Amino acid sequence: MKTILVTGGAGFIGSHLCERLLSHGYRVICFDNFDPFYDLNLKIRNVEEITKKFPETFSLVTGDIRNRDHLKETFQKERIDLVFHLAAKAGVRPSLLEPQLYEEVNVRGTIFLLETCRVFGVKKFIFASSSSVYGESNRVPFSEEDLDLRPISPYGVTKRAGELLCYCYHHLYQIEVACLRIFTAYGPRQRPEMAIYKFTALVDQGEEIPVYGDGSSQRDYTYIDDLIDGMIAVLDHHQGFEIYNLGESRMTSLRELIRLIEEALGKKAKIQRLDPQKGDVSMTYADIQKAKQRLGYQPKVPIEEGIERFVRWYKGSMH
Ligand code: NAD
C-alpha cells in the first residue's frame, strides 16, 4: 500500500483530497498546523470526519512545514512514496497585508519540503499552484505555455516561486513534479472567507454583501469534485515536470454569481458597492486542453449546479 503525505490536508481542498486518496486504497498522512486563518473548528471537523471513515489508513501529524526537524522526523518515521503539497497561506487580499508571512510559509516552507523529499529519496511531488500566477494577463484563456507571467499579488508571486522551485528540484534531483494551477475551487467545506461562502452566509442572514468594483469581474470557478478528479488523475498519467491548469474553462461574472446564490437561497442580496481591491485580477479563465489530453480531465459540474450543491451543503452544515 502506497503512503501519501498531504500537507494542508485538514483544509478545504486537502480534506477532500485525503478522502478520495483513502477511498482509492492509499495510506494517507495529513501534515497540517491548523493555521488560525479561519475557524479552526472547521478543520478539526474535516479531520474528524475523515478519521471516522478511515480509522486504519488515515493519520494526522500536527506540524508546521516551516519546521524542518518536524518534517525530517515525519519522513523518518513513515516511508513516504509521494507528496501532495497543499499547505499554504491562501488568499490574495490578506497577502497584501502580510507578504512576509506568505513568503515564509509558501516559499520557504516549500523549499523545506522539497529538501526533505530530496534527502529521503521521495521521487513524486504534486504542488498546489494557483491561477493567480497569471496576474492581469489578457491572453485568454490562460495557457500553461505562456511564460510571460506577472502575478500582481504577493500570494501569486509565492505560488509562481513554488513552481520554479519545483522545476529546479526536478532538474537537479529528478523528482517528478506536477504543478496544478487551481482556478477558484468551491464546494462543501470551502474556506469561509472566499466569496461564494461569504456571500451565501451574508445573503442568508439578510446582511449586505461587499462587492468590490461594478460586478463585472469574471472568474473561472471549479467545483471541488472536478478538481479532485484532476488531482487524482495526475497519479496515473503524469511523468517528468509539468504544469496543468485545472478549471472549468468558463467565465462567470460576479454579478451572475450573486444571482445564482440568490436563486439557490431564494433570497435577495443587499449589495454594498466598494472600490476594486488592489491585487484582485479582473478575470481568470483556464485553457484546460492540456489537462484534458494528458490527464483525461473533464469537469462535469457547471457553476449553476455547483452553486445549488454548495448552498444545500451550507444549509445542512448550519443545522
Ligand atoms: P485552506 O486554507 O483550507 O488549506 C490550507 C491548509 O494548509 C490549512 O488546513 C492550513 O491549516 C494548512 N497550513 C497553512 N500553513 C501551514 C503551515 N505553515 N504548515 C502546515 N500546514 C499549514 O486552503 P484551500 O483553499 O484548501 O487551499 C489549498 C491549497 O490550494 C493552497 O496551497 C492554496 O494556495 C491552493 N489554491 C486554492 C485555491 C482555492 O480556490 N481554494 C485556488 C488556487 C490555489
Side-chain angles (χ1 to χ4, degrees):
M1 186 186 279
K2 281 204 169 151
T3 300
I4 299 186
L5 182 83
V6 179
T7 70
F12 162 45
I13 300 174
S15 62
H16 285 278
L17 177 67
C18 287
E19 277 187 328
R20 188 76 76 81
L21 290 168
L22 289 156
S23 67
H24 278 62
Y26 293 101
R27 194 170 149 257
V28 173
I29 299 159
C30 162
F31 190 98
D32 200 299
N33 74 341
F34 292 83
D35 181 272
F37 177 46
Y38 60 86
D39 185 1
L40 282 186
N41 292 314
L42 299 174
K43 296 180 196 180
I44 293 170
R45 191 164 62 185
N46 294 344
V47 168
E48 281 173 355
E49 280 176 24
I50 306 173
T51 311
K52 214 184 285 170
K53 281 193 218 162
F54 301 95
E56 307 287 322
T57 46
F58 177 72
S59 52
L60 169 71
V61 177
T62 303
D64 194 309
I65 54 166
R66 287 168 293 180
N67 183 339
R68 304 173 83 154
D69 292 339
H70 200 176
L71 284 175
K72 195 173 150 201
E73 205 181 290
T74 308
F75 279 63
Q76 237 154 15
K77 205 164 143 226
E78 314 280 354
R79 212 188 58 78
I80 291 160
D81 297 293
L82 183 148
V83 172
F84 263 105
H85 176 33
L86 277 70
K89 294 297 290 182
V92 167
R93 289 176 199 157
S95 77
L96 276 67
L97 302 174
E98 292 185 295
Q100 188 188 321
L101 184 58
Y102 275 66
E103 179 274 326
E104 277 174 25
V105 177
N106 298 2
V107 182
R108 221 170 303 172
T110 301
I111 296 182
F112 288 172
L113 199 57
L114 284 164
E115 265 297 289
T116 316
C117 286
R118 176 185 70 77
V119 170
F120 286 87
V122 175
K123 288 290 181 200
K124 274 196 181 231
F125 193 90
I126 301 164
F127 175 61
S129 184
S130 163
S131 58
S132 60
V133 300
Y134 289 107
E136 268 298 38
S137 169
N138 53 12
R139 295 177 294 281
V140 284
F142 297 161
S143 161
E144 300 91 339
E145 307 258 291
D146 191 346
L147 297 178
D148 184 14
L149 301 179
R150 298 176 197 191
I152 60 163
S153 64
Y155 169 68
V157 170
T158 63
K159 286 289 166 184
R160 181 66 183 136
E163 293 181 351
L164 293 169
L165 285 164
C166 285
Y167 177 73
C168 177
Y169 272 71
H170 162 72
H171 178 80
L172 293 173
Y173 310 114
Q174 295 75 50
I175 298 176
E176 291 198 353
V177 181
C179 296
L180 308 177
R181 290 183 180 158
I182 300 168
F183 284 69
T184 319
Y186 72 103
R189 301 184 186 152
Q190 196 191 24
R191 300 199 321 259
E193 99 292 353
M194 291 182 77
I196 291 180
Y197 194 125
K198 188 164 80 182
F199 288 179
T200 300
L202 291 173
V203 174
D204 189 43
Q205 291 152 17
E207 291 184 29
E208 280 189 344
I209 58 172
V211 172
Y212 299 99
D214 62 2
S216 64
S217 62
Q218 312 209 63
R219 289 281 173 283
D220 193 340
Y221 293 100
T222 318
Y223 192 69
I224 186 71
D225 294 355
D226 287 333
L227 172 64
I228 301 294
D229 285 348
M231 295 178 89
I232 293 282
V234 171
L235 294 175
D236 295 329
H237 299 286
H238 170 75
Q239 282 182 331
F241 174 89
E242 296 292 346
I243 295 178
Y244 300 100
N245 286 339
L246 294 178
E248 197 196 339
S249 199
R250 182 180 152 194
M251 289 196 284
T252 303
S253 70
L254 192 53
R255 218 175 285 125
E256 173 65 0
L257 181 76
I258 295 167
R259 195 191 64 73
L260 291 172
I261 293 173
E262 288 178 326
E263 212 171 82
L265 279 169
K267 294 185 182 177
K268 201 90 197 103
K270 295 177 195 154
I271 291 174
Q272 179 194 20
R273 291 240 170 261
L274 299 164
D275 288 340
Q277 287 273 296
K278 271 203 160 73
D280 278 2
V281 296
S282 52
M283 80 179 134
T284 63
Y285 182 15
D287 178 340
I288 55 172
Q289 284 314 312
K290 182 172 173 186
K292 278 185 169 176
Q293 282 160 12
R294 308 256 188 108
L295 306 176
Y297 172 69
Q298 183 59 63
K300 297 181 191 74
V301 184
I303 185 84
E304 292 79 4
E305 187 187 332
I307 293 293
E308 271 181 31
R309 287 195 201 180
F310 173 76
V311 168
R312 226 178 296 135
W313 169 82
Y314 167 81
K315 285 181 175 167
S317 73
M318 289 293 112
H319 303 294

